[in-house]
Amino acid sequence: MVTGTPAARPAAPGLRRTDHAALRLLAALLPAGFRDRQHAEWTGDLLALADSAPQDRRRYLIGAARTLPSLRRLVRHGGAGGTPVALPGGVRDTAARVLLLGLLWPILSWLLWIPARYYGFDIPGRLERGNHEFLIDPKTVWPLDGTPGWLDVIWLVPHLGAIAATFGPFLLTIVALVGGTATALRHGRRPAHLGALALIGLFAAFLGAVLFVMSIAWDLPTSDPILVALGVAAVALGATTRTLRRRARAGLIALGLAIIPLLVSFHTAAGHDMYVWFAD
């Protein structure tokens, strides 16, 4: 059924007149049977950005205008009933999402798998009471001890994540590959953006490999600068990326701040003892 024209559509409550006029113009450039649905999607997104800075809404409208050719092709080839084409996010938004989704697994794995188990089960105290005459195998500490053997495959996930977090080149590669892939799958980017994310992932993997070789061949401390850069970027993007939801921004800032104890653990005697225990 052919729907009404944009001119007959009333402005949504809470939507600025200039934004409404821009959406009417953009919708008018779409096929009649498709424009109402797309107009509603754009309107919902702009309402979500109602409290954002004017430049954020302008960037969104510019991005919407850039998608007009792909939307028209989608309708022309009979794809209007499928998944809507997602609007391109800005560089800052994309970087923030990649960092959020990429840091989540390794940082949480490190926190839960190494310091939480080490201090939660009083490994330092038990070693002290035994005068360090015996070792406490990490495999004898929950959850590896006391759970069925077939769960070892599940425990491998936080174990590998914790290892990645403790070595900067690996962490950089994980953030780019996992974060980029998760961002692409979660937000359905256009092919151009999928390609850009793929290039970022490949570049980060290459850079991680180069830094790994440098750290081994020349014994360079590559982990510290990588962790500092990722932590600062996470906190900065979490504080300034207005297009993210508040929970996502808070989570990104928390992940960035969680890198601080990770860094500190590399340079303290207590951290050294913790990693010796974990390596055993």
Side-chain angles (χ1 to χ4, degrees):
M1 180 179 67
V2 177
T3 55
T5 63
R9 188 182 296 109
L15 190 66
R16 290 170 173 80
R17 290 184 178 180
T18 53
D19 294 341
H20 176 63
L23 290 186
R24 286 174 56 189
L25 176 61
L26 291 174
L29 299 175
L30 292 172
F34 181 70
R35 62 173 63 120
D36 271 357
R37 191 184 76 178
Q38 190 59 43
H39 184 278
E41 181 180 331
W42 284 335
T43 300
D45 290 341
L46 277 180
L47 287 175
L49 293 173
D51 297 328
S52 300
Q55 56 266 29
D56 292 334
R57 295 192 300 277
R58 283 198 298 271
R59 279 197 294 267
Y60 181 90
L61 289 171
I62 292 172
R66 290 171 54 192
T67 63
L68 285 174
S70 63
L71 287 172
R72 293 182 66 87
R73 285 195 300 270
L74 182 71
V75 176
R76 189 183 310 121
H77 294 294
T83 303
V85 176
L87 292 176
V91 173
R92 179 185 299 177
D93 178 88
T94 301
R97 294 179 190 278
V98 169
L99 270 180
L100 174 63
L101 298 174
L103 286 173
L104 191 62
W105 168 45
I107 296 301
L108 287 184
S109 294
W110 177 80
L111 285 170
L112 296 174
W113 203 247
I114 301 182
R117 294 170 69 216
Y118 183 71
Y119 291 106
F121 292 95
D122 193 26
I123 303 301
R126 292 163 62 184
L127 291 173
E128 186 68 27
R129 289 189 293 272
N131 294 320
H132 296 271
E133 294 179 356
F134 62 91
L135 298 176
I136 300 176
D137 192 336
K139 297 185 182 67
T140 64
V141 178
W142 189 90
L144 294 177
D145 181 47
T147 56
W150 58 269
L151 286 177
D152 288 350
V153 176
I154 296 177
W155 306 138
L156 189 62
V157 174
H159 186 82
L160 293 177
I163 292 175
T166 58
F167 189 53
F170 287 171
L171 181 60
L172 178 63
T173 303
I174 289 295
V175 167
L177 294 180
V178 174
T181 301
T183 300
L185 293 176
R186 184 178 177 86
H187 298 283
R189 300 294 185 188
R190 296 183 303 168
H193 291 82
L194 289 173
L197 287 169
L199 287 176
I200 292 173
L202 290 174
F203 173 75
F206 172 76
L207 181 60
V210 170
L211 292 173
F212 173 74
V213 172
M214 291 173 61
S215 66
I216 298 299
W218 294 287
D219 195 25
L220 296 177
T222 56
S223 289
D224 284 9
I226 291 175
L227 288 172
V228 170
L230 290 174
V232 170
V235 172
L237 289 172
T240 60
T241 307
R242 304 298 180 184
T243 51
L244 288 181
R245 294 181 179 179
R246 289 184 179 179
R247 285 183 297 179
R249 293 173 60 192
L252 186 55
I253 293 174
L255 287 171
L257 294 177
I259 291 179
I260 295 176
L262 175 58
L263 267 171
V264 171
S265 70
F266 292 159
H267 303 283
T268 60
H272 175 267
D273 293 342
M274 180 175 67
Y275 289 120
V276 168
W277 165 78
F278 179 68
D280 288 338

